[in-house]
Amino acid sequence: MRRTAEVDFADSPCVVMQQLKFGLLVAEDRHLSCWRLNSKSIVTMGCVLASVLGLFWYFQGRPQRLYEEAQTLVATDLAQAEKLLELATASAGGNFPEAEFLHCRVLAAQRRWNEALGVFGRIADTSKLDPAQLVQFAGQARTAGANLLMQLALRAAKQPGPGLPDVLRQLIRIDIEAGRFEVALQECRELLALEPEDGVAWRILGTIHLEKKEPLAAEAAFLEAIPRINSPEEVTLVRQHLIEALLDVGKIQDARQQLKTASEAGLLSDEMKLQEAYLDRLEGHIDAGIQTLQALLEKRLVEQQKTRAHMLLGLLWLDKSEPDKAVVSLETVVARQPFNKEAHHKLAQAYHQTGQPEKARLHSETAQQLTEQAVELLDKLEQLRADPTNSSLRQRVGDLYDLLGKPEQADRVRRVD
């Protein structure tokens, strides 16, 4: 009966309800405690996250702030601006083109061009730099004699935009002076793709082809240049080069027509008269060629033209079977150009015809020696292309150029870019 009563009591509705209420209160209290604990954790984690993000954005923006601060100091405190720019680049992980370029300009303002060159060489991506500023900087470097830095700045400025044609023109001039004809050739093509009516660019293109012994390509470029050039003096120069290209490919009639056009326009230069005498010789007009050259030598010619006139006159006298007169002209040539193997060879012939075998032998041996040096030069150039770091080989090539009367090529090959 007791057990039954207990059971009945435990299962009574009132007791059950009280137990349920008590359980709910305990559960709610536990839930509230957990919620308060979780809220504190969330708040703490949020604060930590906000701090991390704040630090991230602070350090992320620090290089730009340092760069901007340096910009404001450039006009008043170069030393402090330099420090800030170094910090800005370091904060950016060593890759901050704008700050590095400004650093270059700060160093240049202090005439520390070698250091500026070192900093510029470390810029990973110059495409982010302003082309106009690069061109201006290149001009400053050129004035200071910092030629390598000037070239690097101009090449970095070679970006699409309105200033690209002028950049290409400057690069073409630099590359031609340095003997980088292939590079200059490509730059001419790029310039003409942008400005096809640029007559000067066509002329330069033709001149490069002529230098590279490509007369057909030179002829085509010069023909494009002539109608696009307004200056009569410039047209005369282009026509001279055109005639040279035409003669190189054996287009005698076309060359004669160009001379006629120049003569009718009153633009027959001394150089063209030399070409006319050469053309007379090709056509067998010996007396006409001699007459042209004799009249030309009475004028005040530049030294190179005078030597060429004497050389051609000597050949014409040999053609006319008057070796005594040929000797006079050819001796003048070898006195001015001891490296001229053709002049020595022809002078040997002239002395032989005048019955002076000893003098003939001397000039014949000299011609042979110069020919051997020319052959050696070709061989050494091939070796140098295969082994460009060989300093002794490079020196020998330079010496051979000197011996063959080509000092510009000698300087160029000795100068390692």
Side-chain angles (χ1 to χ4, degrees), residues 326-372:
V327 165
V328 175
S329 292
L330 293 170
E331 280 287 5
T332 302
V333 176
V334 298
R336 294 174 175 173
Q337 294 181 344
F339 47 80
N340 191 326
K341 62 180 181 292
E342 185 183 4
H344 283 287
H345 177 67
K346 291 297 182 181
L347 187 54
Q349 289 182 8
Y351 275 125
H352 180 74
Q353 292 176 21
T354 58
Q356 301 180 71
E358 192 59 30
K359 289 184 177 180
R361 182 186 61 80
L362 177 64
H363 288 286
S364 181
E365 289 176 353
T366 302
Q368 180 62 32
Q369 183 182 21
L370 289 167
T371 300
E372 290 171 357

Side-chain angles (χ1 to χ4, degrees), residues 220-279:
F222 291 139
L223 288 171
E224 292 284 354
I226 288 175
R228 292 175 169 85
I229 294 176
N230 297 321
S231 166
E233 294 80 9
E234 192 76 12
V235 170
T236 299
L237 180 61
V238 175
R239 204 178 297 278
Q240 286 174 188
H241 291 322
L242 173 58
I243 293 169
E244 182 180 350
L246 291 169
L247 291 173
D248 283 348
V249 295
K251 294 185 177 182
I252 296 175
Q253 292 182 347
D254 290 345
R256 179 64 75 181
Q257 181 59 49
Q258 290 296 329
L259 283 168
K260 182 181 178 182
T261 300
S263 180
E264 290 172 349
L267 297 173
L268 198 63
S269 65
D270 291 339
E271 182 65 29
M272 287 182 177
K273 289 176 183 177
L274 275 171
Q275 292 174 327
E276 184 178 27
Y278 178 75
L279 195 55

